[in-house]
Each structure stands twice: as structure tokens, then as C-alpha cells.
Amino acid sequence: MKLKIQITSDQSQTLYNEELDETYHSVHGALRESQHVYIKSGLEEFKDKEVVKIFEMGFGTGLNILLTWIYSQEHPQKIEFNTIELFPLELNVWSELTYAKGIEQQEIFTKLHDADWEVESKIDEGFTLLKNEISLKDYASDKSFDLIYFDAFGPEVQPELWELPIFEKLYNMLDDGGVLVTYSAKGQVRRDMQTAGFTVERLEGPPGKREMLRGRRVG
């Protein structure tokens, strides 16, 4: 992959994939997008839950999981984080990213990226991580989840990840009351989520987007 670091509107970094002509995060603010979509609109829904089981599609730069770990330090709950990534970043790429603030966060960011694939790793006393190098189509788990971060490249770039069978699979991966959040607000995505069984909300989007979607498995 040909990747370049790009500075977004909030001065945080994203990666630009030249082959796909797509960025990993919003150019209107990578940090603000992840914070708004995945933490504020997703993880905060479970702020009173003792253990939160999260599935992320896909690991990418590691920004979403770093923000999740930071949140977990401020709330008395345990996180079981599962993520998949078919094309993990090389050391020379992720080591140049500056999402971490301070020595402790940098140590955790490094630990998240260095964690072995296909093996559950203990990041700290309240945070475990399992990374799988696999496609979503081929992924299977005997675990169900409270929360899904759906952070695939956009429908124009990876349409096969935004079709009805994918949302049916994701719906079945959730516990009752479970939530899926995504930055997308496309009408077809919303309709496919509803057909798959989700109760779907349109929420205010992050900077640069009017709306985002949150789906919930009810009953």
C-alpha cells in the first residue's frame, strides 16, 4: 500500500491511501470524528456497564482503540476489545502517528500495535485486546458484543462491506440492546441496516458531515 500522512482540519493526522484515493479518517478532523462517532455516540451508551465487549471493523491506525483505552481510564469499567484488519500497518507507518499525548498514552499506543495477532493480549488490568488479520466476510467468533465500531472505508471504495449480508452478520454478532455506530449516513446503508433488523437512529454527524447512523438490536 502507498500511504501518506495527512494533516486534518483539527491538526490530527490521518493516512491517505493513494491506491484507493481514500483517507483512513475524515479530513475535517480525524480525532474529532473518532471521538464523536465511536466514543460519544457509541461507548458512552454503555458508561454504566461493568464490562463492555467491543468489535471494531477495522483496526487501521489504532486511533479508535486508543481513544477507547483513554475513556476506560476515566470510567470504572472493563473493556474486551476485538478487532480485525486485513492489511495491518507496518511499523514505519504507525510509529509516525502522533495521536498519543504523553508518555503513558504513547506506551499504550505502541503496545496496541505491537500486540500479537490471533492471541488475546492484556493491555492493562481492565483492558484486553484480540486482533485478527482476516476479512469481515471470513470472520467468525463465538463471542457476542455490546458495541460495534463500523469503520470500514466508504461504500464507494469498499461497496462489498456495506451490503445487506454484512449488516445481517453484524446484527447477529450483537447482544440484545447492542449498538452499531458508523460515520456513514447514506440512505441505502440505513435501509439495509433496518432490513437486517436494526432500529436505526440518525444522529448529528462529526465536523464535515451532517449526520451519522446508530443502529440498535432491540429484543
Side-chain angles (χ1 to χ4, degrees), residues 98-120:
T98 58
Y99 299 132
K101 305 300 179 186
I103 294 174
E104 183 182 18
Q105 287 187 21
Q106 185 58 53
E107 288 177 348
I108 292 296
F109 188 66
T110 299
K111 195 171 183 178
L112 295 170
H113 277 278
D114 278 344
D116 291 333
W117 293 83
E118 325 302 334
V119 177
E120 186 172 84

mmCIF file of all heavy atoms in Angstrom, residues 98-120:
data_model
loop_
_atom_site.group_PDB
_atom_site.id
_atom_site.type_symbol
_atom_site.label_atom_id
_atom_site.label_comp_id
_atom_site.label_asym_id
_atom_site.label_seq_id
_atom_site.Cartn_x
_atom_site.Cartn_y
_atom_site.Cartn_z
ATOM 1 N N THR A 98 0.915 10.534 15.602
ATOM 2 C CA THR A 98 1.090 11.279 16.856
ATOM 3 C C THR A 98 -0.221 11.454 17.618
ATOM 4 O O THR A 98 -0.494 12.521 18.158
ATOM 5 C CB THR A 98 1.712 12.666 16.567
ATOM 6 O OG1 THR A 98 0.854 13.383 15.654
ATOM 7 C CG2 THR A 98 3.085 12.526 15.948
ATOM 8 N N TYR A 99 -1.026 10.409 17.684
ATOM 9 C CA TYR A 99 -2.294 10.501 18.403
ATOM 10 C C TYR A 99 -2.098 10.526 19.907
ATOM 11 O O TYR A 99 -2.872 11.132 20.638
ATOM 12 C CB TYR A 99 -3.187 9.309 18.049
ATOM 13 C CG TYR A 99 -3.551 9.222 16.597
ATOM 14 C CD1 TYR A 99 -3.428 8.023 15.904
ATOM 15 C CD2 TYR A 99 -4.034 10.332 15.908
ATOM 16 C CE1 TYR A 99 -3.775 7.933 14.564
ATOM 17 C CE2 TYR A 99 -4.371 10.251 14.575
ATOM 18 C CZ TYR A 99 -4.243 9.051 13.905
ATOM 19 O OH TYR A 99 -4.580 8.962 12.581
ATOM 20 N N ALA A 100 -1.072 9.850 20.393
ATOM 21 C CA ALA A 100 -0.847 9.736 21.833
ATOM 22 C C ALA A 100 -0.343 11.048 22.414
ATOM 23 O O ALA A 100 0.486 11.738 21.804
ATOM 24 C CB ALA A 100 0.153 8.622 22.118
ATOM 25 N N LYS A 101 -0.835 11.382 23.595
ATOM 26 C CA LYS A 101 -0.396 12.577 24.311
ATOM 27 C C LYS A 101 0.266 12.135 25.618
ATOM 28 O O LYS A 101 -0.383 11.587 26.493
ATOM 29 C CB LYS A 101 -1.580 13.504 24.607
ATOM 30 C CG LYS A 101 -2.383 13.897 23.377
ATOM 31 C CD LYS A 101 -1.555 14.629 22.341
ATOM 32 C CE LYS A 101 -2.383 14.992 21.120
ATOM 33 N NZ LYS A 101 -1.555 15.578 20.048
ATOM 34 N N GLY A 102 1.538 12.336 25.712
ATOM 35 C CA GLY A 102 2.247 11.956 26.922
ATOM 36 C C GLY A 102 2.833 10.560 26.827
ATOM 37 O O GLY A 102 2.494 9.761 25.957
ATOM 38 N N ILE A 103 3.725 10.267 27.764
ATOM 39 C CA ILE A 103 4.481 9.016 27.741
ATOM 40 C C ILE A 103 3.568 7.809 27.930
ATOM 41 O O ILE A 103 3.694 6.801 27.216
ATOM 42 C CB ILE A 103 5.565 9.033 28.841
ATOM 43 C CG1 ILE A 103 6.611 10.110 28.527
ATOM 44 C CG2 ILE A 103 6.228 7.666 28.956
ATOM 45 C CD1 ILE A 103 7.634 10.314 29.613
ATOM 46 N N GLU A 104 2.610 7.885 28.866
ATOM 47 C CA GLU A 104 1.755 6.729 29.136
ATOM 48 C C GLU A 104 0.921 6.362 27.915
ATOM 49 O O GLU A 104 0.846 5.188 27.529
ATOM 50 C CB GLU A 104 0.832 7.004 30.324
ATOM 51 C CG GLU A 104 -0.033 5.795 30.683
ATOM 52 C CD GLU A 104 -0.988 6.066 31.825
ATOM 53 O OE1 GLU A 104 -1.241 7.243 32.134
ATOM 54 O OE2 GLU A 104 -1.484 5.088 32.414
ATOM 55 N N GLN A 105 0.300 7.345 27.287
ATOM 56 C CA GLN A 105 -0.501 7.065 26.101
ATOM 57 C C GLN A 105 0.356 6.519 24.965
ATOM 58 O O GLN A 105 -0.074 5.630 24.232
ATOM 59 C CB GLN A 105 -1.242 8.318 25.647
ATOM 60 C CG GLN A 105 -2.399 8.706 26.531
ATOM 61 C CD GLN A 105 -3.224 9.848 25.960
ATOM 62 O OE1 GLN A 105 -3.200 10.109 24.766
ATOM 63 N NE2 GLN A 105 -3.943 10.543 26.810
ATOM 64 N N GLN A 106 1.576 7.043 24.812
ATOM 65 C CA GLN A 106 2.451 6.537 23.758
ATOM 66 C C GLN A 106 2.835 5.089 24.014
ATOM 67 O O GLN A 106 2.896 4.275 23.083
ATOM 68 C CB GLN A 106 3.713 7.394 23.646
ATOM 69 C CG GLN A 106 4.616 7.003 22.475
ATOM 70 C CD GLN A 106 3.906 7.067 21.139
ATOM 71 O OE1 GLN A 106 3.317 8.088 20.787
ATOM 72 N NE2 GLN A 106 3.932 5.978 20.385
ATOM 73 N N GLU A 107 3.070 4.753 25.266
ATOM 74 C CA GLU A 107 3.396 3.368 25.603
ATOM 75 C C GLU A 107 2.223 2.441 25.276
ATOM 76 O O GLU A 107 2.423 1.340 24.755
ATOM 77 C CB GLU A 107 3.762 3.263 27.085
ATOM 78 C CG GLU A 107 5.113 3.883 27.421
ATOM 79 C CD GLU A 107 5.416 3.830 28.912
ATOM 80 O OE1 GLU A 107 4.486 3.527 29.697
ATOM 81 O OE2 GLU A 107 6.574 4.101 29.289
ATOM 82 N N ILE A 108 1.009 2.889 25.569
ATOM 83 C CA ILE A 108 -0.172 2.080 25.273
ATOM 84 C C ILE A 108 -0.378 1.973 23.760
ATOM 85 O O ILE A 108 -0.668 0.887 23.232
ATOM 86 C CB ILE A 108 -1.425 2.666 25.944
ATOM 87 C CG1 ILE A 108 -1.322 2.523 27.473
ATOM 88 C CG2 ILE A 108 -2.691 2.000 25.421
ATOM 89 C CD1 ILE A 108 -1.300 1.081 27.957
ATOM 90 N N PHE A 109 -0.231 3.073 23.041
ATOM 91 C CA PHE A 109 -0.384 3.063 21.585
ATOM 92 C C PHE A 109 0.581 2.056 20.956
ATOM 93 O O PHE A 109 0.206 1.276 20.074
ATOM 94 C CB PHE A 109 -0.140 4.464 21.033
ATOM 95 C CG PHE A 109 -0.449 4.611 19.566
ATOM 96 C CD1 PHE A 109 -1.744 4.496 19.099
ATOM 97 C CD2 PHE A 109 0.563 4.875 18.651
ATOM 98 C CE1 PHE A 109 -2.038 4.631 17.742
ATOM 99 C CE2 PHE A 109 0.283 5.009 17.305
ATOM 100 C CZ PHE A 109 -1.018 4.897 16.844
ATOM 101 N N THR A 110 1.814 2.059 21.432
ATOM 102 C CA THR A 110 2.811 1.103 20.945
ATOM 103 C C THR A 110 2.410 -0.321 21.304
ATOM 104 O O THR A 110 2.515 -1.237 20.486
ATOM 105 C CB THR A 110 4.192 1.434 21.534
ATOM 106 O OG1 THR A 110 4.584 2.744 21.112
ATOM 107 C CG2 THR A 110 5.234 0.413 21.094
ATOM 108 N N LYS A 111 1.923 -0.500 22.520
ATOM 109 C CA LYS A 111 1.521 -1.837 22.979
ATOM 110 C C LYS A 111 0.353 -2.372 22.151
ATOM 111 O O LYS A 111 0.296 -3.566 21.838
ATOM 112 C CB LYS A 111 1.145 -1.763 24.460
ATOM 113 C CG LYS A 111 1.046 -3.107 25.163
ATOM 114 C CD LYS A 111 0.887 -2.897 26.663
ATOM 115 C CE LYS A 111 0.870 -4.236 27.397
ATOM 116 N NZ LYS A 111 0.766 -4.050 28.869
ATOM 117 N N LEU A 112 -0.578 -1.501 21.791
ATOM 118 C CA LEU A 112 -1.721 -1.910 20.979
ATOM 119 C C LEU A 112 -1.278 -2.400 19.604
ATOM 120 O O LEU A 112 -1.771 -3.404 19.090
ATOM 121 C CB LEU A 112 -2.706 -0.747 20.831
ATOM 122 C CG LEU A 112 -3.394 -0.270 22.114
ATOM 123 C CD1 LEU A 112 -4.135 1.035 21.867
ATOM 124 C CD2 LEU A 112 -4.351 -1.325 22.650
ATOM 125 N N HIS A 113 -0.350 -1.679 19.005
ATOM 126 C CA HIS A 113 0.135 -2.062 17.684
ATOM 127 C C HIS A 113 1.068 -3.273 17.751
ATOM 128 O O HIS A 113 1.071 -4.106 16.836
ATOM 129 C CB HIS A 113 0.849 -0.887 17.012
ATOM 130 C CG HIS A 113 -0.083 0.065 16.332
ATOM 131 N ND1 HIS A 113 -0.579 -0.162 15.068
ATOM 132 C CD2 HIS A 113 -0.619 1.246 16.744
ATOM 133 C CE1 HIS A 113 -1.374 0.834 14.725
ATOM 134 N NE2 HIS A 113 -1.425 1.698 15.724
ATOM 135 N N ASP A 114 1.842 -3.369 18.805
ATOM 136 C CA ASP A 114 2.794 -4.476 18.940
ATOM 137 C C ASP A 114 2.139 -5.785 19.364
ATOM 138 O O ASP A 114 2.754 -6.850 19.248
ATOM 139 C CB ASP A 114 3.877 -4.115 19.966
ATOM 140 C CG ASP A 114 4.984 -3.264 19.361
ATOM 141 O OD1 ASP A 114 5.083 -3.208 18.116
ATOM 142 O OD2 ASP A 114 5.750 -2.665 20.132
ATOM 143 N N ALA A 115 0.918 -5.715 19.877
ATOM 144 C CA ALA A 115 0.240 -6.926 20.368
ATOM 145 C C ALA A 115 0.171 -7.980 19.267
ATOM 146 O O ALA A 115 -0.078 -7.679 18.105
ATOM 147 C CB ALA A 115 -1.162 -6.572 20.850
ATOM 148 N N ASP A 116 0.417 -9.217 19.657
ATOM 149 C CA ASP A 116 0.384 -10.317 18.693
ATOM 150 C C ASP A 116 -1.006 -10.463 18.081
ATOM 151 O O ASP A 116 -2.022 -10.221 18.742
ATOM 152 C CB ASP A 116 0.760 -11.629 19.373
ATOM 153 C CG ASP A 116 2.231 -11.681 19.776
ATOM 154 O OD1 ASP A 116 3.042 -10.986 19.121
ATOM 155 O OD2 ASP A 116 2.560 -12.396 20.734
ATOM 156 N N TRP A 117 -1.027 -10.897 16.837
ATOM 157 C CA TRP A 117 -2.282 -11.179 16.150
ATOM 158 C C TRP A 117 -2.765 -12.578 16.511
ATOM 159 O O TRP A 117 -1.970 -13.475 16.759
ATOM 160 C CB TRP A 117 -2.102 -11.035 14.636
ATOM 161 C CG TRP A 117 -1.830 -9.612 14.232
ATOM 162 C CD1 TRP A 117 -0.624 -8.967 14.244
ATOM 163 C CD2 TRP A 117 -2.795 -8.649 13.809
ATOM 164 N NE1 TRP A 117 -0.774 -7.663 13.849
ATOM 165 C CE2 TRP A 117 -2.096 -7.439 13.573
ATOM 166 C CE3 TRP A 117 -4.166 -8.690 13.593
ATOM 167 C CZ2 TRP A 117 -2.736 -6.283 13.122
ATOM 168 C CZ3 TRP A 117 -4.815 -7.536 13.158
ATOM 169 C CH2 TRP A 117 -4.108 -6.353 12.925
ATOM 170 N N GLU A 118 -4.068 -12.739 16.534
ATOM 171 C CA GLU A 118 -4.744 -14.029 16.777
ATOM 172 C C GLU A 118 -4.613 -14.514 18.218
ATOM 173 O O GLU A 118 -4.997 -15.640 18.533
ATOM 174 C CB GLU A 118 -4.237 -15.143 15.833
ATOM 175 C CG GLU A 118 -3.858 -14.719 14.437
ATOM 176 C CD GLU A 118 -4.971 -14.040 13.655
ATOM 177 O OE1 GLU A 118 -6.143 -14.293 13.949
ATOM 178 O OE2 GLU A 118 -4.651 -13.251 12.746
ATOM 179 N N VAL A 119 -4.071 -13.671 19.109
ATOM 180 C CA VAL A 119 -3.897 -14.051 20.515
ATOM 181 C C VAL A 119 -4.421 -12.912 21.391
ATOM 182 O O VAL A 119 -4.087 -11.749 21.161
ATOM 183 C CB VAL A 119 -2.413 -14.305 20.860
ATOM 184 C CG1 VAL A 119 -2.261 -14.633 22.340
ATOM 185 C CG2 VAL A 119 -1.844 -15.417 20.002
ATOM 186 N N GLU A 120 -5.222 -13.240 22.393
ATOM 187 C CA GLU A 120 -5.724 -12.195 23.279
ATOM 188 C C GLU A 120 -4.582 -11.637 24.130
ATOM 189 O O GLU A 120 -3.821 -12.389 24.735
ATOM 190 C CB GLU A 120 -6.828 -12.733 24.183
ATOM 191 C CG GLU A 120 -7.479 -11.636 25.021
ATOM 192 C CD GLU A 120 -8.706 -12.128 25.776
ATOM 193 O OE1 GLU A 120 -8.515 -12.697 26.873
ATOM 194 O OE2 GLU A 120 -9.827 -11.961 25.271
#
